[in-house]
């Protein structure tokens, strides 16, 4: 009898271990495609491929980092241990008259909570912008979006308070639902919807010499880009460099150097990037002006030139003004 009970207990233990092993190997990201009342995004990546991508883009095992770079690296590591949420709110609208037509602009507040520097971004979009986003996303994510309902457009009564309020709530839930889906929130189409109009305006101001206005918009956008593009830090390098150009032309070399360092930290293992050499040249000029160490930057530039064929390279400003040209 004791032998039977011992065998039974042993079988139960094996089954329990098997269940635990099976559970631990299931993909945790399956839950991510489920809508939630408040969407949260773990800063630790959902799969090993993301960890590999981030480690390659932030810290090379063979790189030699300065004390300041190491401090920045560990600050980023600590940030990644905290849970971050992006919350979408649509508190108000305004009616715009354009030629003989009218349309409603929805004010969208994008809040970041759970980080060291909680802040918000404010953008405005109209119904047709949401419509275009939905069509674009369906082209790529039709299966993921089969249960996503887009707020329908009514033929009459578009500007009644009741209809506008209903749409505000519907678009708020719509954005939260899209953001809850990992592949959608990381897609270029979704990110462009939230940032591209402002970037186009900012670069238009930059090309027109309106550096103060361009800088104001770029500083607003860069915070949102950093939150949306954590898995692809190289994608915000052009915006950082545009901020450097604005600060430099506004004779703020200290601020220009600060944002230049942020851009260089994302390029230190991507020296073939089109912004790398122009940024280095600008940083050498700024470092010399500020009395900082420019020799190490000069060495990096000379090292880059030895590896590359001598071809014409645009200046940082020339590259910046070419972004978002219609």
């Amino acid at each position: 009898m004791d032998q039977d009970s011992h065998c039974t207990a042993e079988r139960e233990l094996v089954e329990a271990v098997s269940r635990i092993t099976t559970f631990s190997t299931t993909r945790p990201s399956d839950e991510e495609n489920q809508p939630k009342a408040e969407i949260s995004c773990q800063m630790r990546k959902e799969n090993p491929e993301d960890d590999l991508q981030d480690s390659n883009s932030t810290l090379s095992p063979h790189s030699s980092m300065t004390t300041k770079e190491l401090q920045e690296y560990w600050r980023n590591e600590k940030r990644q241990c905290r849970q971050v949420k992006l919350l979408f709110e649509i508190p108000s609208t305004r009616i715009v008259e354009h030629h003989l037509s009218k349309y409603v602009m929805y004010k969208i507040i994008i809040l970041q909570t759970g980080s060291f520097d909680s802040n918000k971004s404010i953008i405005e979009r109209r119904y047709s912008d949401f419509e275009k986003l939905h069509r674009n996303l369906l082209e790529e994510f039709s299966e993921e979006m089969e249960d996503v309902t887009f707020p329908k457009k009514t033929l009459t009564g578009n500007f009644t308070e009741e209809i506008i309020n209903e749409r505000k709530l519907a678009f708020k839930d719509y954005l939260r639902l899209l953001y809850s889906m990992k592949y959608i929130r990381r897609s270029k189409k979704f990110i462009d919807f939230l940032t591209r109009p402002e970037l186009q305006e900012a670069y238009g101001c930059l090309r027109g010499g309106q550096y103060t206005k361009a800088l104001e918009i770029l500083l607003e956008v860069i915070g949102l880009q950093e939150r949306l593009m954590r898995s692809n830090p190289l994608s915000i390098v052009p915006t950082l460099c545009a901020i450097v150009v604005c600060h430099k032309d506004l004779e703020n070399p200290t601020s220009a150097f600060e944002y230049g360092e942020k851009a260089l930290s994302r390029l230190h293992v991507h020296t073939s990037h089109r912004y790398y050499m122009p940024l280095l040249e600008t940083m050498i000029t700024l470092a010399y002006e500020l009395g900082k160490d420019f020799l190490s930057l000069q060495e990096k530039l000379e090292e880059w030139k030895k590896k590359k064929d001598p071809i014409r390279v645009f200046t940082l400003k020339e590259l910046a003004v070419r972004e978002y040209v219609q």
Side-chain angles (χ1 to χ4, degrees), residues 90-310:
I90 305 181
S92 62
T93 60
R94 63 186 179 95
I95 297 176
V96 177
E97 294 189 23
H98 184 66
H99 298 306
L100 299 177
S101 63
K102 293 183 179 181
Y103 56 85
V104 180
M105 294 291 289
Y106 296 86
K107 180 180 180 182
I108 305 169
I109 298 179
I110 307 167
L111 299 164
Q112 178 185 358
T113 62
S115 68
F116 285 94
D117 51 347
S118 297
N119 49 32
K120 64 182 180 181
S121 299
I122 301 174
I123 61 176
E124 280 191 318
R125 298 293 182 267
R126 56 188 293 188
Y127 186 92
S128 59
D129 296 325
F130 282 97
E131 244 180 351
K132 183 179 179 181
L133 169 68
H134 193 72
R135 287 196 306 270
N136 290 340
L137 291 176
L138 282 175
E139 292 175 0
E140 189 174 351
F141 305 104
S142 56
E143 293 184 6
E144 290 87 344
M145 295 181 62
E146 60 184 3
D147 295 327
V148 178
T149 302
F150 185 76
K152 298 298 182 182
K153 190 171 187 177
T154 55
L155 297 177
T156 59
N158 280 353
F159 303 117
T160 65
E161 186 176 350
E162 182 181 0
I163 292 295
I164 290 175
N165 286 334
E166 286 179 2
R167 285 228 189 113
K168 281 164 51 178
L169 293 174
F171 281 137
K172 174 182 174 180
D173 292 337
Y174 176 74
L175 288 173
R176 288 182 173 183
L177 183 55
L178 292 182
Y179 186 76
S180 71
M181 303 177 191
K182 178 180 66 176
Y183 296 108
I184 290 181
R185 73 166 173 261
R186 292 181 179 177
S187 70
K188 184 177 184 301
K189 294 175 180 179
F190 182 69
I191 294 170
D192 278 353
F193 169 78
L194 296 174
T195 62
R196 189 176 181 86
E198 284 71 26
L199 285 172
Q200 287 176 326
E201 182 183 359
Y203 279 99
C205 292
L206 194 157
R207 285 188 290 273
Q210 302 176 44
Y211 301 115
T212 301
K213 179 63 176 176
L215 182 60
E216 178 185 340
I217 301 171
L218 289 169
L219 290 175
E220 180 77 16
V221 174
I222 191 65
L224 182 56
Q225 281 186 311
E226 286 177 331
R227 300 194 290 276
L228 291 168
M229 302 179 180
R230 292 183 187 274
S231 61
N232 184 17
L234 280 180
S235 58
I236 68 170
V237 166
T239 307
L240 288 170
C241 289
I243 292 173
V244 172
V245 170
C246 289
H247 274 306
K248 188 172 182 296
D249 279 36
L250 290 170
E251 299 182 355
N252 299 324
T254 302
S255 297
F257 192 84
E258 176 188 344
Y259 280 92
E261 284 187 314
K262 291 182 180 180
L264 271 183
S265 69
R266 289 161 172 80
L267 294 176
H268 73 278
V269 292
H270 301 278
T271 57
S272 61
H273 196 281
R274 71 186 191 280
Y275 272 92
Y276 182 73
M277 183 179 174
L279 179 59
L280 266 181
E281 291 178 330
T282 300
M283 291 295 285
I284 291 169
T285 302
L286 290 169
Y288 182 80
E289 182 180 348
L290 294 168
K292 295 180 178 290
D293 173 29
F294 65 90
L295 293 178
S296 59
L297 296 171
Q298 186 71 47
E299 289 173 1
K300 290 180 180 179
L301 182 60
E302 295 302 325
E303 182 182 346
W304 185 92
K305 287 181 177 180
K306 288 178 183 178
K307 294 179 181 178
K308 303 292 181 181
D309 294 329

Side-chain angles (χ1 to χ4, degrees), residues 58-82:
T58 56
L59 181 62
S60 169
H62 303 294
S63 65
S64 57
M65 304 182 74
T66 64
T67 302
K68 185 172 183 179
E69 288 172 336
L70 282 170
Q71 289 173 345
E72 180 66 24
Y73 171 74
W74 286 116
R75 274 197 295 270
N76 290 334
E77 285 294 299
K78 289 178 182 178
R79 274 194 203 101
Q80 290 177 353
C81 295
R82 305 191 67 180

